[in-house]
Amino acid sequence: MFALLATGSAPLPALTAAAATSKPAQPYCRNAGPLPQLDPEAEQQRPYASDRPTPRKKIRDDRAAPLMSPPPPPPPPPAPPPMPVMESAADTGSVVATGSRIGEAAEPPRTSARDASERAASSMPPHRRPYPRPQPQSGILTAGEHDDLLNPELYAAYVGRSDLGQDIRVLPRVDTMRVVTVKVNDRNGQPIPFADVVVTCSDGNSITMATQADGSAVFFPGLDRLSERITVSARKAGRQIADARPVLVADAPGGQSIGLTANQMATKATKLDLMLVIDTTGSMGDEIRYLQAELRAIIAAISEKHRNLDIRTGFVFYRDAGDEYVTRTVGFDHDVGKVQGTLARQHATGGGDYPEAMDQALIRAVGQDWRPDAVKSLLLVADAPPHDDKFGRTWAAAEVARAKRIHITPVAASGVADKAEYAMRAMAAATQSRYLFLTDDSGVGNPHAPPAVDCYLVTRLDALVRRVIDSQISGRRIEPDEHEVIRSVGKYDAGKCVLPADFKWQQG
């Protein structure tokens, strides 16, 4: 892992000094580092002549690939027949035809309006209006989802059979097989949201994570570098609400659940901060118009269903270096109409190679003014990973998001390959969220890479995202109704995959 805290210079105890002569012991209870800094946003000089340049497709490859030269243009089509001349209301005599073909040296010959009208009536087919292009509607795109926190054995098997950890050293390894879940409830068993859970390690260092709407905070002994013995307590508004409890962290695989009873009553979440981080490069062009319709419908549905919920929505649109812009940030806003208008004005173009500036987009999104007493949800809509040398700060941004209690919910579009899926699933698991992925059932867009997931349900994307956000608000997992399921893969049971009797999560 990377972004580890620097080793302290205090002398080691005598019992451990001999074992640490070659390398000082690292401190326990590792905290996230600071959010990487970026220069202020600035749009680059538009390199195109028109406002909507021709999109370029990304090269779908996990290796750095050169930008391919475009194929030579096809031969020009045969010249169309001369355009008929319409009679001018201002001049009933001779008129000059307009609309000459590009590159024509001489202007068309003059002719009478009556002759032109007679030729048009005798030689032209009946006038046909072009068919209007149908506007994308919500409810078209289809998707599945997977929760790696509910399927730790499958996630361990997925990470174990992947060589990405050797390919890119800074790719995170989130060990969902060893999880310490702290749940804070009131005396009636109701969850306490947004309470600060403090874990103190044996060397005196501590790490603090706030509970989500379900009253839980998840710690990973490996990622967080927990000591064997820890003390767990809970605070809210600077006041301790649950007595400290000593815990022995198990070294064997398996999750641990620790309950704390608060001395105050639970309250429900009343605010939602929703940030949409959207890749708008050329390869997203076949889906971006549908995604716009879906996301507008999702925002409207959440506002309609949760009328008493204080909702703010923001955006970070991103492309890559050399494009018209790298990131374009729109801060949180309560005005639903304004938010939907902002989304509708976006279009997809640029890109070129496969990776994109996901790192900068996440840094800008995580750095926004998230409210401390709101459910915090970040939708990452993308079809490509960051550049190889930017995985480090991409994950650094994800760790800061986790420390701020921000759910990162990826929505993987067509083109997602191994590196992107690996990073997205790690971010979702670390922030107590789920991995969403578009499927081919809708028939929209390029073919979607099958996820490395053993079981899932396919439903409409808009309904799925609403369920996920509703789950984040209510603190309980919401499953689709039977009539919402388009198809199922594997043996699915309320978010968990039923494992075969001979399943082994370890290699060998």
Side-chain angles (χ1 to χ4, degrees):
M1 291 302 300
F2 61 96
L4 303 182
L5 294 178
T7 303
S9 58
L12 294 169
L15 291 177
T16 61
T21 52
S22 59
K23 183 178 180 181
Q26 294 176 323
Y28 291 120
C29 278
R30 183 185 70 87
N31 285 270
L35 188 67
Q37 297 298 304
L38 298 175
D39 293 332
E41 281 184 333
E43 295 207 359
Q44 301 182 21
Q45 183 68 32
R46 189 187 305 272
Y48 308 103
S50 67
D51 183 55
R52 291 177 180 256
T54 302
R56 291 177 287 160
K57 293 294 181 184
K58 289 198 286 283
I59 303 168
R60 185 181 159 191
D61 189 359
D62 277 342
R63 300 177 300 276
L67 184 62
M68 299 178 64
S69 301
M83 296 282 291
V85 181
M86 305 303 294
E87 186 172 356
S88 170
D91 183 3
T92 56
S94 61
V95 297
V96 179
T98 58
S100 302
R101 292 186 299 276
I102 296 175
E104 205 166 25
E107 66 178 16
R110 295 178 180 269
T111 181
S112 72
R114 178 173 298 178
D115 290 344
S117 298
E118 290 176 354
R119 284 201 303 272
S122 60
S123 63
M124 289 190 66
H127 178 67
R128 297 178 181 177
R129 294 185 178 182
Y131 290 106
R133 186 178 184 182
Q135 291 296 315
Q137 299 177 348
S138 63
I140 301 298
L141 297 181
T142 56
E145 61 93 2
H146 187 69
D147 191 332
D148 283 311
L149 289 177
L150 291 180
N151 297 276
E153 299 90 353
L154 291 174
Y155 188 67
Y158 164 70
V159 172
R161 66 175 176 262
S162 172
D163 60 355
L164 294 176
Q166 291 76 38
D167 188 17
I168 301 180
R169 294 290 182 180
V170 294
L171 274 171
R173 181 184 178 93
V174 180
D175 188 359
T176 60
M177 286 293 293
R178 294 184 64 218
V179 173
V180 176
T181 302
V182 181
K183 296 210 70 173
V184 184
N185 295 331
D186 65 12
R187 292 187 177 94
N188 296 323
Q190 296 302 307
I192 303 286
F194 318 147
D196 290 328
V197 175
V198 182
V199 170
T200 304
C201 290
S202 57
D203 61 358
N205 291 324
S206 64
I207 180 173
T208 301
M209 293 286 174
T211 59
Q212 299 289 356
D214 64 354
S216 71
V218 173
F219 297 84
F220 302 92
L223 181 65
D224 298 323
R225 203 184 304 126
L226 301 184
S227 57
E228 181 181 7
R229 296 180 182 276
I230 59 175
T231 301
V232 181
S233 62
R235 298 181 310 203
K236 196 164 187 181
R239 183 177 66 86
Q240 186 161 317
I241 62 172
D243 294 335
R245 178 178 172 181
V247 175
L248 182 64
V249 178
D251 189 36
Q256 290 180 264
S257 184
I258 301 164
L260 296 178
T261 302
N263 57 17
Q264 68 177 44
M265 299 300 292
T267 57
K268 295 187 179 297
T270 60
K271 299 177 182 178
L272 169 67
D273 283 347
L274 176 62
M275 176 64 67
L276 295 96
V277 180
I278 305 175
D279 177 349
T280 58
T281 52
S283 63
M284 294 285 288
D286 48 10
E287 288 169 335
I288 194 70
R289 294 183 302 121
Y290 286 89
L291 284 168
Q292 287 169 323
E294 303 283 1
L295 294 173
R296 289 198 302 272
I298 291 166
I299 294 169
I302 293 172
S303 301
E304 179 69 23
K305 181 175 181 180
H306 302 277
R307 289 186 174 274
N308 296 324
L309 194 67
D310 179 358
I311 303 176
R312 299 191 311 167
T313 308
F315 299 95
V316 176
F317 305 103
Y318 72 97
R319 293 178 182 167
D320 204 3
D323 290 329
E324 174 191 352
Y325 62 85
V326 178
T327 61
R328 178 182 287 166
T329 303
V330 181
F332 286 115
D333 200 307
H334 286 96
D335 190 333
V336 175
K338 180 179 177 182
V339 164
Q340 292 181 335
T342 298
L343 180 60
R345 288 192 295 271
Q346 307 307 311
H347 66 278
T349 189
D353 57 353
Y354 182 49
E356 307 299 356
M358 180 189 291
D359 57 307
Q360 294 194 43
L362 282 176
I363 291 170
R364 298 209 186 275
V366 173
Q368 295 302 300
D369 61 331
W370 300 81
R371 292 175 292 185
D373 57 346
V375 173
K376 307 173 186 179
S377 186
L378 187 157
L379 292 181
L380 172 61
V381 184
D383 68 346
H387 291 268
D388 282 0
D389 62 344
K390 298 298 188 292
F391 268 100
R393 66 180 191 175
T394 303
W395 180 245
E399 286 208 314
V400 175
R402 178 183 175 227
K404 288 187 172 186
R405 192 179 41 78
I406 300 171
H407 294 288
I408 297 180
T409 305
V411 181
S414 59
V416 164
D418 292 343
K419 290 180 183 177
E421 178 177 349
Y422 190 104
M424 288 177 169
R425 289 176 66 175
M427 289 189 282
T431 60
Q432 295 178 243
S433 190
R434 313 184 212 173
Y435 174 66
L436 279 55
F437 46 90
L438 298 183
T439 68
D440 286 337
D441 300 80
S442 67
V444 175
N446 294 323
H448 300 82
V453 172
D454 296 70
C455 77
Y456 54 91
L457 302 179
V458 176
T459 65
R460 288 171 21 184
L461 173 67
D462 60 341
L464 171 58
V465 174
R466 286 200 302 268
R467 287 196 306 272
V468 170
I469 295 177
D470 279 343
S471 298
Q472 294 170 354
I473 296 170
S474 65
R476 60 183 181 87
R477 183 181 176 90
I478 301 173
E479 291 293 324
D481 294 333
E482 186 175 350
H483 71 273
E484 295 182 279
V485 179
I486 297 171
R487 65 181 174 94
S488 62
V489 175
K491 295 183 178 181
Y492 178 93
D493 182 18
K496 297 181 180 180
C497 296
V498 179
L499 301 177
D502 59 348
F503 176 80
K504 294 181 180 180
W505 63 272
Q506 287 180 315
Q507 299 293 321

